Amino acid sequence: MGKSRFLGEFEQFVLLAILRLGEQAYGTTIRQILLDVIQRDVSIGALYTTLTRLEDKGLIRSAMGEATAKRGGRAKKFFEITAEGKQALQETRQSLDAMWRDVKLTFVGVK
Amino acid sequence: MGKSRFLGEFEQFVLLAILRLGEQAYGTTIRQILLDVIQRDVSIGALYTTLTRLEDKGLIRSAMGEATAKRGGRAKKFFEITAEGKQALQETRQSLDAMWRDVKLTFVGVK
DNA sequence: GTAATTTATTCTACAAAGTAAAACTAATAA
DNA sequence: TTATTAGTTTTACTTTGTAGAATAAATTAC
């Protein structure tokens, strides 16, 4: 058992974002982390599509937060990564590490 | 300048395979490296599709080898990574590293 | 109390990347 | 001159990536 499918490139980033946000992972914060940490500016709609797919695949789960009541706004949907999600992330990372091993990129760097 | 597009998940692996094969990178060997190093068994057709797209994007270049003449068989098409390809690889890696930083995966490991 | 305003999620649609299977090419060996 | 072998191309379809508009639900200002 264990389907061992590959994670898409963006899926990986989203999973990592959720992981580092912990309790605070929902649409807006995930989007913001991606922007802050890797300067990736993705539309909120694009993000939710990926979140939905990740949940369908069982790599994350979600729970609606209670109405926060601060100044307008709808209830948040919080996400957390499942054991399967962690495993998928780890496997992808290990594969990447294995492929990078001994590869030296003689590269002049970004100007 | 520098479009800074994101590399797909499989594209990354193919670029790395080419890098580690050096002079010997062509269809069959690339496929084999992927199988050996990360146990990823992709059809040869799938691989060529990706190679073609990577070349279209300027991340690799190719050159036909002369007819080897050993025991039948058609001439090989050798691939090598371009400066742009290296840069794309490096950027993707840096983003991943940045996202992984401080993330600890308390994870029990694969049974 | 109802019309803005705010914060958030869902829907719709399409482009790009992943993937396999079958077709094709061009050599050498029988 | 036909198998056989080693290799590349084509075709077709599924999955992922992505944006933009629509919708939802709460709060505050009149």
Side-chain angles (χ1 to χ4, degrees):
Chain A
M1 139 162 343
K3 239 169 307 178
S4 199
R5 186 83 247 93
F6 304 101
L7 288 175
E9 176 267 350
F10 184 53
E11 291 180 323
Q12 247 174 109
F13 285 115
V14 172
L15 288 178
L16 286 167
I18 293 174
L19 221 43
R20 49 165 55 214
L21 280 165
E23 308 286 275
Q24 287 309 311
Y26 68 98
T28 308
T29 53
I30 296 172
R31 176 156 185 266
Q32 192 61 45
I33 279 284
L34 260 12
L35 195 56
D36 290 350
V37 179
I38 59 170
Q39 291 74 56
R40 182 151 176 177
D41 189 2
V42 75
S43 82
I44 189 72
L47 175 57
Y48 277 106
T49 300
T50 293
L51 286 168
T52 300
R53 288 173 188 164
L54 284 171
E55 187 162 25
D56 289 346
K57 292 196 269 184
L59 303 181
I60 59 177
R61 80 175 69 81
S62 69
M64 293 309 286
E66 45 221 299
T68 343
K70 208 153 219 172
R71 195 265 171 273
R74 183 175 174 176
K76 300 176 176 68
K77 187 174 186 180
F78 292 102
F79 295 92
E80 74 181 315
I81 193 165
T82 63
E84 275 207 28
K86 287 184 188 176
Q87 180 167 342
L89 248 187
Q90 185 140 285
E91 282 177 13
T92 300
R93 182 179 163 78
Q94 284 168 351
S95 290
L96 240 6
D97 283 353
M99 285 300 291
W100 269 104
R101 196 154 299 136
D102 303 321
V103 168
K104 57 229 156 290
L105 215 45
T106 321
F107 179 59
V108 276
V110 198
K111 81 184 130 311
Chain B
M1 135 163 346
K3 237 169 309 179
S4 198
R5 187 82 249 92
F6 304 101
L7 287 175
E9 177 267 350
F10 185 52
E11 291 180 323
Q12 248 174 108
F13 285 116
V14 171
L15 288 178
L16 285 167
I18 293 174
L19 221 42
R20 49 166 55 214
L21 281 164
E23 307 287 274
Q24 287 310 309
Y26 67 97
T28 307
T29 53
I30 295 172
R31 178 157 183 266
Q32 191 60 45
I33 279 284
L34 260 11
L35 195 55
D36 289 350
V37 180
I38 60 169
Q39 292 73 57
R40 181 151 177 178
D41 188 3
V42 75
S43 81
I44 189 72
L47 174 58
Y48 276 108
T49 301
T50 293
L51 287 168
T52 301
R53 289 174 187 164
L54 284 171
E55 187 162 25
D56 288 347
K57 291 195 269 183
L59 302 182
I60 59 177
R61 80 175 68 82
S62 69
M64 293 310 285
E66 45 222 296
T68 342
K70 207 151 219 172
R71 194 268 171 270
R74 185 174 172 176
K76 301 177 176 68
K77 187 173 187 179
F78 292 102
F79 295 91
E80 74 182 313
I81 193 166
T82 64
E84 276 206 29
K86 287 184 188 175
Q87 181 168 341
L89 248 188
Q90 186 140 286
E91 282 177 12
T92 299
R93 181 179 166 75
Q94 283 168 351
S95 290
L96 241 5
D97 282 354
M99 285 300 290
W100 269 105
R101 196 156 300 138
D102 302 321
V103 168
K104 56 228 156 287
L105 215 43
T106 320
F107 180 58
V108 277
V110 198
K111 79 184 134 308

